[in-house]
Amino acid sequence: MSTHHLVRRGIAPEWVPAHGRLAGATGYAAWSVVDAGTPAVHTGFGLGRFDPGGSVPAHVHSYEESLYVLQGQVVVQTHGEAVRLGPGDYGLLPVGVPHSLRNGGAHEAVFARMSAPTPRPDHHYDTFVVPELQHTEPLAADVRDPRLRRFGHLDEAAMDPALQTQDRLAVSASMRTALLVYSGITVRMMVDSDLGATLSTMFMVEYQPDGVAGAHDHPFEETYLIVEGAVEATFDGRPYRLEVGDVAWAGVGCVHGFRNVGDGPVRWLETQAPQPPGRHSYRFARDWEYLQQKLHQGGAT
């Protein structure tokens, strides 16, 4: 059976200091999980780590980039605007937008980073250093602030179905704050077309103890970073137990499914690239197996 998936354990991430394509970076290292050295075409995914005082100079990408902060403070600087991202904050950097990054606090900062499509080594990783941006006073990420339409925040209340009624919502009830709940599974969209993304999505998924997703595949690539609990995941017929810090990637056509194997919820950050089509984004194996059975019973060949 051919395999088209990756699983990397978070217990020993391979941190590599920034190199030539980010000349001028200080106190910054990256763990590249999904890149041009893997079968991925549409996805680049990994973690970034800033030491106190660390920074990355102004640059642009010819790909779309999304960030999600796991710990510490990361300041994203663009022309005349800076946003301070803390744990649970996320944001989008569209293609060609000049930006710099810096540690905004006194402690180490770690964030997840998604690129779409996959950065290419033979094209300078599709990253180009540009003239430095003047630092401005950073604002806090706020989904309701019209100046910060590409940034938002995710907390425990945002994943609680009981807190999603109009009278209890902490923020405006738009598609960006809508909660999708089905079969013991909760999904909160973060980076999507409403935020301005065109090449990718990023969202948080939570499975309750009875949460199960049957075998299926997609016409796009998916990446999963486990942030809480444990899940039994099956990719290409191979079972894995994924725990906090582990990263998995499923390519186009990789049949996969999930089952919560803990006593509490399991939660992971998920990305998709390219963006799912309007129809047929899920292909459940059981539906087509049912058709095969019906055809066999009817004597079809």
mmCIF file of all heavy atoms in Angstrom, residues 163-199:
data_model
loop_
_atom_site.group_PDB
_atom_site.id
_atom_site.type_symbol
_atom_site.label_atom_id
_atom_site.label_comp_id
_atom_site.label_asym_id
_atom_site.label_seq_id
_atom_site.Cartn_x
_atom_site.Cartn_y
_atom_site.Cartn_z
ATOM 1 N N LEU A 163 -21.907 28.593 25.056
ATOM 2 C CA LEU A 163 -21.650 30.037 25.121
ATOM 3 C C LEU A 163 -21.794 30.706 23.761
ATOM 4 O O LEU A 163 -21.323 31.828 23.573
ATOM 5 C CB LEU A 163 -20.244 30.289 25.670
ATOM 6 C CG LEU A 163 -19.976 29.797 27.091
ATOM 7 C CD1 LEU A 163 -18.541 30.093 27.495
ATOM 8 C CD2 LEU A 163 -20.942 30.450 28.076
ATOM 9 N N GLN A 164 -22.469 30.062 22.814
ATOM 10 C CA GLN A 164 -22.533 30.606 21.458
ATOM 11 C C GLN A 164 -23.859 31.279 21.128
ATOM 12 O O GLN A 164 -24.089 31.682 19.992
ATOM 13 C CB GLN A 164 -22.251 29.501 20.443
ATOM 14 C CG GLN A 164 -20.958 28.750 20.695
ATOM 15 C CD GLN A 164 -19.767 29.663 20.901
ATOM 16 O OE1 GLN A 164 -19.502 30.552 20.097
ATOM 17 N NE2 GLN A 164 -19.048 29.473 21.995
ATOM 18 N N THR A 165 -24.773 31.412 22.105
ATOM 19 C CA THR A 165 -26.023 32.105 21.844
ATOM 20 C C THR A 165 -25.780 33.603 21.722
ATOM 21 O O THR A 165 -24.791 34.133 22.248
ATOM 22 C CB THR A 165 -27.033 31.832 22.963
ATOM 23 O OG1 THR A 165 -26.454 32.234 24.216
ATOM 24 C CG2 THR A 165 -27.394 30.356 23.020
ATOM 25 N N GLN A 166 -26.678 34.309 21.037
ATOM 26 C CA GLN A 166 -26.489 35.734 20.775
ATOM 27 C C GLN A 166 -26.291 36.535 22.054
ATOM 28 O O GLN A 166 -25.493 37.472 22.086
ATOM 29 C CB GLN A 166 -27.697 36.285 19.998
ATOM 30 C CG GLN A 166 -27.728 35.875 18.534
ATOM 31 C CD GLN A 166 -26.725 36.668 17.712
ATOM 32 O OE1 GLN A 166 -26.282 37.729 18.115
ATOM 33 N NE2 GLN A 166 -26.362 36.133 16.559
ATOM 34 N N ASP A 167 -26.979 36.184 23.119
ATOM 35 C CA ASP A 167 -26.897 36.979 24.339
ATOM 36 C C ASP A 167 -25.661 36.673 25.169
ATOM 37 O O ASP A 167 -25.360 37.388 26.124
ATOM 38 C CB ASP A 167 -28.154 36.762 25.203
ATOM 39 C CG ASP A 167 -28.325 35.309 25.597
ATOM 40 O OD1 ASP A 167 -27.952 34.432 24.801
ATOM 41 O OD2 ASP A 167 -28.847 35.057 26.700
ATOM 42 N N ARG A 168 -24.910 35.615 24.790
ATOM 43 C CA ARG A 168 -23.753 35.234 25.595
ATOM 44 C C ARG A 168 -22.436 35.321 24.837
ATOM 45 O O ARG A 168 -21.376 35.138 25.413
ATOM 46 C CB ARG A 168 -23.935 33.811 26.137
ATOM 47 C CG ARG A 168 -25.201 33.649 26.967
ATOM 48 C CD ARG A 168 -25.333 32.248 27.523
ATOM 49 N NE ARG A 168 -24.424 32.033 28.641
ATOM 50 C CZ ARG A 168 -24.357 30.892 29.328
ATOM 51 N NH1 ARG A 168 -25.128 29.887 28.984
ATOM 52 N NH2 ARG A 168 -23.520 30.760 30.329
ATOM 53 N N LEU A 169 -22.496 35.581 23.531
ATOM 54 C CA LEU A 169 -21.264 35.681 22.754
ATOM 55 C C LEU A 169 -20.406 36.849 23.252
ATOM 56 O O LEU A 169 -20.900 37.942 23.490
ATOM 57 C CB LEU A 169 -21.575 35.878 21.271
ATOM 58 C CG LEU A 169 -21.854 34.614 20.461
ATOM 59 C CD1 LEU A 169 -22.338 34.997 19.078
ATOM 60 C CD2 LEU A 169 -20.609 33.754 20.355
ATOM 61 N N ALA A 170 -19.116 36.589 23.386
ATOM 62 C CA ALA A 170 -18.199 37.647 23.803
ATOM 63 C C ALA A 170 -17.860 38.577 22.652
ATOM 64 O O ALA A 170 -17.444 39.710 22.860
ATOM 65 C CB ALA A 170 -16.920 37.041 24.369
ATOM 66 N N VAL A 171 -18.014 38.085 21.427
ATOM 67 C CA VAL A 171 -17.687 38.880 20.252
ATOM 68 C C VAL A 171 -18.799 38.759 19.235
ATOM 69 O O VAL A 171 -19.724 37.972 19.387
ATOM 70 C CB VAL A 171 -16.345 38.441 19.611
ATOM 71 C CG1 VAL A 171 -15.186 38.705 20.547
ATOM 72 C CG2 VAL A 171 -16.389 36.978 19.226
ATOM 73 N N SER A 172 -18.707 39.560 18.176
ATOM 74 C CA SER A 172 -19.721 39.581 17.135
ATOM 75 C C SER A 172 -19.935 38.202 16.526
ATOM 76 O O SER A 172 -18.990 37.444 16.302
ATOM 77 C CB SER A 172 -19.305 40.563 16.037
ATOM 78 O OG SER A 172 -20.154 40.477 14.922
ATOM 79 N N ALA A 173 -21.190 37.856 16.249
ATOM 80 C CA ALA A 173 -21.533 36.545 15.698
ATOM 81 C C ALA A 173 -21.436 36.556 14.181
ATOM 82 O O ALA A 173 -22.424 36.646 13.467
ATOM 83 C CB ALA A 173 -22.925 36.132 16.145
ATOM 84 N N SER A 174 -20.234 36.508 13.654
ATOM 85 C CA SER A 174 -20.015 36.416 12.211
ATOM 86 C C SER A 174 -19.539 35.006 11.904
ATOM 87 O O SER A 174 -19.409 34.163 12.791
ATOM 88 C CB SER A 174 -18.961 37.425 11.766
ATOM 89 O OG SER A 174 -17.701 37.084 12.306
ATOM 90 N N MET A 175 -19.270 34.717 10.639
ATOM 91 C CA MET A 175 -18.745 33.406 10.291
ATOM 92 C C MET A 175 -17.415 33.137 10.989
ATOM 93 O O MET A 175 -17.062 31.993 11.262
ATOM 94 C CB MET A 175 -18.572 33.298 8.774
ATOM 95 C CG MET A 175 -19.871 33.116 8.022
ATOM 96 S SD MET A 175 -20.809 31.673 8.589
ATOM 97 C CE MET A 175 -19.708 30.358 8.063
ATOM 98 N N ARG A 176 -16.679 34.190 11.301
ATOM 99 C CA ARG A 176 -15.395 34.011 11.964
ATOM 100 C C ARG A 176 -15.570 33.528 13.394
ATOM 101 O O ARG A 176 -14.634 33.005 13.996
ATOM 102 C CB ARG A 176 -14.608 35.310 11.941
ATOM 103 C CG ARG A 176 -13.979 35.616 10.606
ATOM 104 C CD ARG A 176 -13.439 37.018 10.569
ATOM 105 N NE ARG A 176 -12.374 37.220 11.553
ATOM 106 C CZ ARG A 176 -11.810 38.402 11.764
ATOM 107 N NH1 ARG A 176 -12.200 39.451 11.065
ATOM 108 N NH2 ARG A 176 -10.854 38.527 12.641
ATOM 109 N N THR A 177 -16.745 33.728 13.997
ATOM 110 C CA THR A 177 -16.952 33.298 15.374
ATOM 111 C C THR A 177 -17.963 32.168 15.469
ATOM 112 O O THR A 177 -18.317 31.755 16.559
ATOM 113 C CB THR A 177 -17.429 34.487 16.236
ATOM 114 O OG1 THR A 177 -18.660 34.990 15.702
ATOM 115 C CG2 THR A 177 -16.409 35.592 16.246
ATOM 116 N N ALA A 178 -18.445 31.667 14.331
ATOM 117 C CA ALA A 178 -19.415 30.580 14.349
ATOM 118 C C ALA A 178 -18.748 29.282 14.782
ATOM 119 O O ALA A 178 -17.588 29.026 14.468
ATOM 120 C CB ALA A 178 -20.053 30.414 12.971
ATOM 121 N N LEU A 179 -19.500 28.465 15.516
ATOM 122 C CA LEU A 179 -19.002 27.192 16.010
ATOM 123 C C LEU A 179 -19.796 26.075 15.343
ATOM 124 O O LEU A 179 -21.019 26.063 15.384
ATOM 125 C CB LEU A 179 -19.150 27.109 17.530
ATOM 126 C CG LEU A 179 -18.412 25.993 18.254
ATOM 127 C CD1 LEU A 179 -16.910 26.167 18.111
ATOM 128 C CD2 LEU A 179 -18.798 25.977 19.732
ATOM 129 N N LEU A 180 -19.098 25.145 14.706
ATOM 130 C CA LEU A 180 -19.726 24.003 14.057
ATOM 131 C C LEU A 180 -19.620 22.808 14.993
ATOM 132 O O LEU A 180 -18.520 22.423 15.400
ATOM 133 C CB LEU A 180 -19.037 23.710 12.723
ATOM 134 C CG LEU A 180 -19.527 22.485 11.936
ATOM 135 C CD1 LEU A 180 -20.991 22.660 11.548
ATOM 136 C CD2 LEU A 180 -18.668 22.270 10.706
ATOM 137 N N VAL A 181 -20.761 22.217 15.346
ATOM 138 C CA VAL A 181 -20.801 21.105 16.286
ATOM 139 C C VAL A 181 -21.540 19.931 15.651
ATOM 140 O O VAL A 181 -22.662 20.094 15.177
ATOM 141 C CB VAL A 181 -21.495 21.504 17.601
ATOM 142 C CG1 VAL A 181 -21.475 20.333 18.588
ATOM 143 C CG2 VAL A 181 -20.843 22.733 18.211
ATOM 144 N N TYR A 182 -20.895 18.749 15.624
ATOM 145 C CA TYR A 182 -21.557 17.560 15.077
ATOM 146 C C TYR A 182 -20.849 16.309 15.568
ATOM 147 O O TYR A 182 -19.627 16.270 15.681
ATOM 148 C CB TYR A 182 -21.550 17.582 13.539
ATOM 149 C CG TYR A 182 -20.178 17.568 12.913
ATOM 150 C CD1 TYR A 182 -19.621 16.387 12.427
ATOM 151 C CD2 TYR A 182 -19.414 18.732 12.831
ATOM 152 C CE1 TYR A 182 -18.355 16.369 11.863
ATOM 153 C CE2 TYR A 182 -18.142 18.716 12.265
ATOM 154 C CZ TYR A 182 -17.626 17.524 11.787
ATOM 155 O OH TYR A 182 -16.362 17.508 11.245
ATOM 156 N N SER A 183 -21.614 15.279 15.927
ATOM 157 C CA SER A 183 -21.082 13.948 16.262
ATOM 158 C C SER A 183 -19.937 13.987 17.267
ATOM 159 O O SER A 183 -18.938 13.290 17.109
ATOM 160 C CB SER A 183 -20.625 13.231 14.984
ATOM 161 O OG SER A 183 -21.679 13.118 14.066
ATOM 162 N N GLY A 184 -20.074 14.807 18.328
ATOM 163 C CA GLY A 184 -19.021 14.886 19.323
ATOM 164 C C GLY A 184 -17.797 15.645 18.874
ATOM 165 O O GLY A 184 -16.753 15.581 19.510
ATOM 166 N N ILE A 185 -17.917 16.373 17.755
ATOM 167 C CA ILE A 185 -16.807 17.126 17.185
ATOM 168 C C ILE A 185 -17.176 18.600 17.112
ATOM 169 O O ILE A 185 -18.284 18.947 16.694
ATOM 170 C CB ILE A 185 -16.459 16.613 15.772
ATOM 171 C CG1 ILE A 185 -16.134 15.120 15.816
ATOM 172 C CG2 ILE A 185 -15.290 17.392 15.180
ATOM 173 C CD1 ILE A 185 -15.999 14.480 14.444
ATOM 174 N N THR A 186 -16.260 19.460 17.523
ATOM 175 C CA THR A 186 -16.461 20.907 17.477
ATOM 176 C C THR A 186 -15.370 21.529 16.618
ATOM 177 O O THR A 186 -14.198 21.190 16.769
ATOM 178 C CB THR A 186 -16.406 21.513 18.895
ATOM 179 O OG1 THR A 186 -17.385 20.883 19.718
ATOM 180 C CG2 THR A 186 -16.676 23.007 18.861
ATOM 181 N N VAL A 187 -15.748 22.439 15.720
ATOM 182 C CA VAL A 187 -14.802 23.095 14.823
ATOM 183 C C VAL A 187 -14.974 24.608 14.917
ATOM 184 O O VAL A 187 -16.087 25.118 14.797
ATOM 185 C CB VAL A 187 -15.012 22.648 13.358
ATOM 186 C CG1 VAL A 187 -14.074 23.418 12.433
ATOM 187 C CG2 VAL A 187 -14.790 21.148 13.219
ATOM 188 N N ARG A 188 -13.886 25.315 15.125
ATOM 189 C CA ARG A 188 -13.894 26.781 15.147
ATOM 190 C C ARG A 188 -12.965 27.284 14.052
ATOM 191 O O ARG A 188 -11.763 27.091 14.097
ATOM 192 C CB ARG A 188 -13.423 27.293 16.503
ATOM 193 C CG ARG A 188 -13.124 28.782 16.546
ATOM 194 C CD ARG A 188 -14.367 29.623 16.507
ATOM 195 N NE ARG A 188 -15.165 29.434 17.707
ATOM 196 C CZ ARG A 188 -16.195 30.199 18.045
ATOM 197 N NH1 ARG A 188 -16.555 31.187 17.248
ATOM 198 N NH2 ARG A 188 -16.871 29.959 19.150
ATOM 199 N N MET A 189 -13.537 27.932 13.035
ATOM 200 C CA MET A 189 -12.723 28.492 11.965
ATOM 201 C C MET A 189 -11.922 29.685 12.496
ATOM 202 O O MET A 189 -12.408 30.467 13.303
ATOM 203 C CB MET A 189 -13.588 28.932 10.792
ATOM 204 C CG MET A 189 -14.321 27.805 10.090
ATOM 205 S SD MET A 189 -13.252 26.454 9.520
ATOM 206 C CE MET A 189 -12.158 27.333 8.385
ATOM 207 N N MET A 190 -10.696 29.818 11.998
ATOM 208 C CA MET A 190 -9.824 30.916 12.395
ATOM 209 C C MET A 190 -9.406 31.705 11.150
ATOM 210 O O MET A 190 -9.890 32.797 10.898
ATOM 211 C CB MET A 190 -8.617 30.380 13.161
ATOM 212 C CG MET A 190 -9.007 29.726 14.484
ATOM 213 S SD MET A 190 -7.847 28.488 15.106
ATOM 214 C CE MET A 190 -6.341 29.417 15.268
ATOM 215 N N VAL A 191 -8.521 31.126 10.350
ATOM 216 C CA VAL A 191 -8.086 31.767 9.104
ATOM 217 C C VAL A 191 -8.834 31.117 7.942
ATOM 218 O O VAL A 191 -8.725 29.917 7.726
ATOM 219 C CB VAL A 191 -6.567 31.619 8.905
ATOM 220 C CG1 VAL A 191 -6.143 32.208 7.562
ATOM 221 C CG2 VAL A 191 -5.815 32.291 10.045
ATOM 222 N N ASP A 192 -9.618 31.909 7.233
ATOM 223 C CA ASP A 192 -10.374 31.408 6.091
ATOM 224 C C ASP A 192 -10.645 32.571 5.145
ATOM 225 O O ASP A 192 -10.051 33.650 5.285
ATOM 226 C CB ASP A 192 -11.674 30.733 6.529
ATOM 227 C CG ASP A 192 -12.574 31.645 7.353
ATOM 228 O OD1 ASP A 192 -12.316 32.867 7.411
ATOM 229 O OD2 ASP A 192 -13.556 31.145 7.937
ATOM 230 N N SER A 193 -11.525 32.388 4.175
ATOM 231 C CA SER A 193 -11.790 33.432 3.186
ATOM 232 C C SER A 193 -12.372 34.682 3.828
ATOM 233 O O SER A 193 -12.148 35.794 3.343
ATOM 234 C CB SER A 193 -12.732 32.912 2.099
ATOM 235 O OG SER A 193 -13.947 32.454 2.668
ATOM 236 N N ASP A 194 -13.102 34.534 4.937
ATOM 237 C CA ASP A 194 -13.656 35.706 5.613
ATOM 238 C C ASP A 194 -12.553 36.576 6.200
ATOM 239 O O ASP A 194 -12.709 37.788 6.340
ATOM 240 C CB ASP A 194 -14.622 35.264 6.716
ATOM 241 C CG ASP A 194 -15.429 36.424 7.278
ATOM 242 O OD1 ASP A 194 -16.261 36.973 6.534
ATOM 243 O OD2 ASP A 194 -15.194 36.792 8.449
ATOM 244 N N LEU A 195 -11.436 35.962 6.540
ATOM 245 C CA LEU A 195 -10.297 36.707 7.077
ATOM 246 C C LEU A 195 -9.412 37.259 5.958
ATOM 247 O O LEU A 195 -8.502 38.023 6.208
ATOM 248 C CB LEU A 195 -9.475 35.790 7.990
ATOM 249 C CG LEU A 195 -8.682 36.467 9.118
ATOM 250 C CD1 LEU A 195 -9.631 37.006 10.160
ATOM 251 C CD2 LEU A 195 -7.715 35.485 9.755
ATOM 252 N N GLY A 196 -9.691 36.835 4.721
ATOM 253 C CA GLY A 196 -8.917 37.303 3.583
ATOM 254 C C GLY A 196 -8.020 36.250 2.963
ATOM 255 O O GLY A 196 -7.324 36.524 1.985
ATOM 256 N N ALA A 197 -8.009 35.028 3.509
ATOM 257 C CA ALA A 197 -7.181 33.962 2.954
ATOM 258 C C ALA A 197 -7.766 33.472 1.632
ATOM 259 O O ALA A 197 -8.988 33.403 1.471
ATOM 260 C CB ALA A 197 -7.085 32.803 3.938
ATOM 261 N N THR A 198 -6.897 33.124 0.709
ATOM 262 C CA THR A 198 -7.334 32.600 -0.581
ATOM 263 C C THR A 198 -6.724 31.237 -0.901
ATOM 264 O O THR A 198 -7.233 30.518 -1.758
ATOM 265 C CB THR A 198 -6.965 33.573 -1.725
ATOM 266 O OG1 THR A 198 -5.545 33.765 -1.732
ATOM 267 C CG2 THR A 198 -7.653 34.918 -1.531
ATOM 268 N N LEU A 199 -5.631 30.874 -0.225
ATOM 269 C CA LEU A 199 -4.914 29.647 -0.558
ATOM 270 C C LEU A 199 -4.986 28.582 0.526
ATOM 271 O O LEU A 199 -4.586 27.442 0.292
ATOM 272 C CB LEU A 199 -3.440 29.970 -0.831
ATOM 273 C CG LEU A 199 -3.173 30.959 -1.976
ATOM 274 C CD1 LEU A 199 -1.699 31.316 -2.034
ATOM 275 C CD2 LEU A 199 -3.635 30.365 -3.300
#
